[in-house]
Amino acid sequence: MGHKVQNNQLSIADTLGLGFMTFAFFLGAGNLIFPPLAGFMAGENMALAMVGFLVTAVGLPLITLIAVAKANGKIMDLLPPIAATMLAVAIFIIIGPAFAAPRTGLVAFEVGFKPFLENAEATFMIAGITLNVAQLIYTLVFFSIAMVFALYPGKLLDNVGKVLTPILLLLLVGLAVSVIILPGSPVAAAVGDYQTHPLTKGVLEGYNTMDTLASLIFGILIIDILRKKGVSDAKAQTGYLIKAALIAASGLAFVYIALFYLGATAGDLATGAENGGVILTNYVTHEFGTTGLVLLATVVTLACITTAVGLISACSEFFNELLPKISYRRFVVLLSVICATIANVGLAQLISISIPVLMTVYPVAIALVAVTFLTERFSKPEAAHRIVLSVALFFGIIDGLKAAGVDVSVFNFMPLHAEGMAWLLPTAITIFACLMMKKEQAAVAVS
């Protein structure tokens, strides 16, 4: 490393901006709609459910960002190239055009716009598909705005980190304070799975935010932004990425705890709500009337737009590297159009389709993070990465099929199968076995 590397340092304002931008990328649709409903259903078991939720919705994304930094952005390098590409493509499709990005537009519509409409249900038919007029117009406008922001990725840090997020944070702090100060209803009894195993139910509910998958992508995006800012030393990049991750994780934990509590004390306001967005809207309307609704609409729209921009630009960069003949800008336009199209499926449908997919892919993502941290400890890192991820994928598929309603009762004997986490024990045992291989190989080599 004889040659001198230009290595700028970020100012404190830039570092905070980076942290805020990371927080804004994560704080998207799922983060606002899942905690209130989970809090409402967990009721008296709220504390355990919240701990489980924070593990997968804050802890894992934070650890994943650090793993991406540790691997210098090349977290899949030890996998066979075709497997690495397939896994990356799967993650980018889930987090981009298939589920997470369209969901941002839908949540922005449901929470940020629909409450103001007198006639939100006007529909028309195209090719046998019923479309909601207001939703169609809204999502087209929403993804057009996201597209314009994503076309200029160099300005992301300044636009998102320094302008949009501080506004968003102020409004969220206001909401959180009101939840704590204003008396809600008494906490009700837990329902469904929250009665029997609130902790694992909370863990699985955290999957829905998709933030661990997003971390794999945002980590690479942040390293890219740091390079553009002139921070080229890998160690410095890791340092800044960890700082940004900690700022984002603190912000997310704060928001989730407030929203969980809001759901648990919502009482009658949550009756018949099919998603947490409805609970949030009802609460704000009840406490603050129209002014509150306008503020909530602003928060949600800002949160969803920033996430959509982050996802569309990250996916476009990835697919542009994969298929260099198609330019980054073309991908931005194409993905924005796809997102606007898929967003017209409807929120409840989109969530129900995404759950089996997430149950399959999440174990692989979590296993990938675990083996990244242990790479130096394996005697054969390449083999370890491949074996562990294969095991996680196999059992993840079983969990995914179960979530999709396929009969997999033949696996009922497995620990945690009923809770939807059959992958956990086999994957942990495989990691342990790969760590143990070291000693025997060393002994063989000596003899």
Side-chain angles (χ1 to χ4, degrees):
M1 299 296 288
H3 59 287
K4 276 198 76 171
V5 182
Q6 175 218 9
N7 195 32
N8 295 348
Q9 292 218 310
L10 293 190
S11 64
I12 291 177
D14 270 343
T15 310
L16 278 173
L18 191 69
F20 283 161
M21 181 192 71
T22 311
F23 168 73
F25 280 168
F26 282 124
L27 188 82
N31 318 65
L32 295 170
I33 60 174
F34 293 110
L37 190 61
F40 174 64
M41 292 173 76
E44 63 205 355
N45 292 339
M46 175 182 71
L48 272 175
M50 197 190 312
V51 169
F53 187 84
L54 290 175
V55 166
T56 41
V58 177
L60 268 177
L62 173 65
I63 294 167
T64 305
L65 276 178
I66 296 169
V68 172
K70 183 178 177 295
N72 212 0
K74 300 175 176 63
I75 195 162
M76 297 180 198
D77 271 18
L78 289 173
L79 300 176
I82 182 117
T85 306
M86 282 168 67
L87 176 60
V89 167
I91 290 174
F92 273 98
I93 288 175
I94 292 168
I95 204 83
F99 299 120
R103 189 174 72 183
T104 57
L106 269 175
V107 172
F109 171 73
E110 294 254 340
V111 181
F113 194 69
K114 202 174 169 182
F116 300 102
L117 294 180
E118 291 294 316
N119 184 11
E121 303 307 323
T123 55
F124 66 97
M125 296 273 287
I126 288 188
I129 301 167
T130 309
L131 291 172
N132 179 320
V133 181
Q135 187 174 304
L136 180 67
I137 296 168
Y138 183 89
T139 46
L140 286 174
V141 173
F142 179 92
F143 285 107
S144 303
I145 295 170
M147 178 178 79
V148 173
F149 271 114
L151 283 171
Y152 302 99
K155 302 207 168 59
L156 267 179
L157 175 58
D158 302 323
N159 289 336
V160 174
K162 293 180 182 170
V163 183
L164 297 177
T165 320
I167 303 172
L168 179 63
L169 266 176
L170 272 174
L171 294 172
L172 283 167
V173 169
L175 180 68
V177 170
S178 74
V179 169
I180 295 156
I181 294 174
L182 297 169
S185 309
V187 176
V191 291
D193 289 342
Y194 286 107
Q195 292 170 312
T196 46
H197 36 262
L199 186 68
T200 43
K201 181 68 180 153
V203 165
L204 294 177
E205 199 58 42
Y207 280 8
N208 284 331
T209 63
M210 304 192 197
D211 280 349
T212 300
L213 300 182
S215 291
L216 290 168
I217 290 168
F218 290 153
I220 297 164
L221 189 69
I222 294 163
I223 288 177
D224 202 50
I225 287 170
L226 285 168
R227 283 196 193 113
K228 285 177 184 155
K229 286 266 176 195
V231 180
S232 40
D233 173 53
K235 211 168 180 180
Q237 287 173 357
T238 306
Y240 286 125
L241 187 53
I242 290 172
K243 282 178 191 161
L246 288 169
I247 294 171
S250 318
L252 287 174
F254 170 75
V255 173
Y256 291 151
I257 290 168
L259 290 175
F260 246 88
Y261 188 71
L262 181 153
T265 56
D268 293 343
L269 297 175
T271 314
E274 63 173 27
N275 63 62
V278 179
I279 301 178
L280 197 54
T281 310
N282 292 351
Y283 169 83
V284 172
T285 318
H286 179 260
E287 299 290 359
F288 305 104
T290 321
T291 324
L293 261 190
V294 172
L295 283 175
L296 179 68
T298 315
V299 170
V300 172
T301 311
L302 277 179
C304 292
I305 280 260
T306 48
T307 302
V309 172
L311 293 173
I312 290 170
S313 55
C315 290
S316 303
E317 285 205 355
F318 170 77
F319 287 116
N320 166 240
E321 275 176 27
L322 202 63
L323 307 163
K325 286 187 176 160
I326 305 172
S327 70
Y328 167 82
R329 300 196 141 197
R330 281 212 175 136
F331 272 119
V332 169
V333 175
L334 177 69
L335 292 174
S336 303
V337 171
I338 296 173
C339 290
T341 313
I342 291 183
N344 285 285
V345 173
L347 189 56
Q349 288 84 338
L350 198 60
I351 291 171
S352 64
I353 300 166
S354 66
I355 288 173
V357 180
L358 291 177
M359 296 289 273
T360 306
V361 177
Y362 244 80
V364 183
I366 295 169
L368 178 62
V369 172
V371 291
T372 302
F373 278 109
L374 296 168
T375 301
E376 288 87 43
R377 304 270 173 94
F378 294 123
S379 55
K380 294 196 169 167
E382 228 171 61
H385 275 236
R386 294 171 186 199
I387 297 166
V388 171
L389 293 198
S390 305
V391 171
L393 176 63
F394 176 76
F395 289 101
I397 290 171
I398 296 169
D399 285 334
L401 289 171
K402 177 172 175 276
V406 177
D407 179 22
V408 284
S409 51
V410 52
F411 293 101
N412 280 356
F413 66 92
M414 291 185 62
L416 294 176
H417 174 68
E419 288 89 341
M421 293 178 74
W423 64 275
L424 192 59
L425 209 63
T427 310
I429 292 169
T430 311
I431 291 176
F432 185 69
C434 290
L435 288 169
M436 288 295 103
M437 268 164 51
K438 200 172 201 166
K439 295 161 189 167
E440 290 151 37
Q441 242 127 24
V444 172
V446 171
S447 59

